[in-house]
Amino acid sequence: MTKSVFYHAGCPVCVSAEQDIVSLIGSDKVEIVHLGEQKSRIDEAESKGVKSVPALLTPSGNVLHLNFGASISDVKG
Amino acid sequence: MTKSVFYHAGCPVCVSAEQDIVSLIGSDKVEIVHLGEQKSRIDEAESKGVKSVPALLTPSGNVLHLNFGASISDVKG
């Protein structure tokens, strides 16, 4: 895995964090996943250790949870 | 301001996040500040909007609070 993955759910705090992350890391180095629109990827996010969004899965496999926006259970609902 | 500033306090979750952030953004683009060792900069961090560590202050002035490690009040103590 060479790209980071930024999981979010469209909430204002997510969008703000997304703009910062993309600007810092570079848009070519991060995949953006909207879990509200791509519910099929919620299981993937959970299996990677994502507990809330927005979160950044790094190439090393660590998950950085950013400014708390919503829990994964909220996104499922 | 062209550099990001990563504020932390030496806790394990801080160090782990630091390694990821430096790796993602590039060590030349982020200043690392250990608030436990540089208590004179706690006021600066608070004035920028840092509420807990680890946190990343971006060049645009936004603060991204990462995996919750410690509150600013804990660092002061």
Side-chain angles (χ1 to χ4, degrees), chain B residues 38-50:
Chain B
Q38 301 181 60
K39 287 182 183 288
S40 61
R41 297 192 64 173
I42 292 179
D43 285 349
E44 165 201 314
E46 275 194 313
S47 74
K48 301 290 188 182
V50 173

Side-chain angles (χ1 to χ4, degrees), chain A residues 4 16-17 20-21 24-25 29 56 58-60 62-68, chain B residues 4 16-17 20-21 24-25 29 56 58-60 62-68:
Chain A
S4 299
S16 167
D20 280 330
I21 289 292
L24 287 170
I25 303 180
K29 292 185 188 156
L56 184 73
T58 72
S60 57
N62 290 334
V63 176
L64 297 177
H65 294 96
L66 301 168
N67 301 350
F68 189 81
Chain B
S4 298
S16 168
D20 280 330
I21 289 292
L24 287 171
I25 302 179
K29 293 185 189 155
L56 184 73
T58 71
S60 58
N62 289 335
V63 176
L64 297 177
H65 294 96
L66 301 169
N67 301 351
F68 189 81

Side-chain angles (χ1 to χ4, degrees), chain A residues 35 38-49 76:
Chain A
L35 290 177
Q38 302 183 58
K39 286 182 183 290
S40 61
R41 298 193 62 175
I42 292 178
D43 285 350
E44 165 203 312
E46 275 193 313
S47 73
K48 300 290 188 183
K76 286 181 180 173

Side-chain angles (χ1 to χ4, degrees), chain B residues 9-48:
Chain B
C11 53
V13 66
C14 292
V15 173
S16 168
E18 175 187 334
Q19 291 168 342
D20 280 330
I21 289 292
V22 168
S23 160
L24 287 171
I25 302 179
S27 57
D28 55 331
K29 293 185 189 155
V30 56
E31 178 189 5
I32 310 290
V33 176
H34 188 317
L35 290 178
E37 294 174 351
Q38 301 181 60
K39 287 182 183 288
S40 61
R41 297 192 64 173
I42 292 179
D43 285 349
E44 165 201 314
E46 275 194 313
S47 74
K48 301 290 188 182

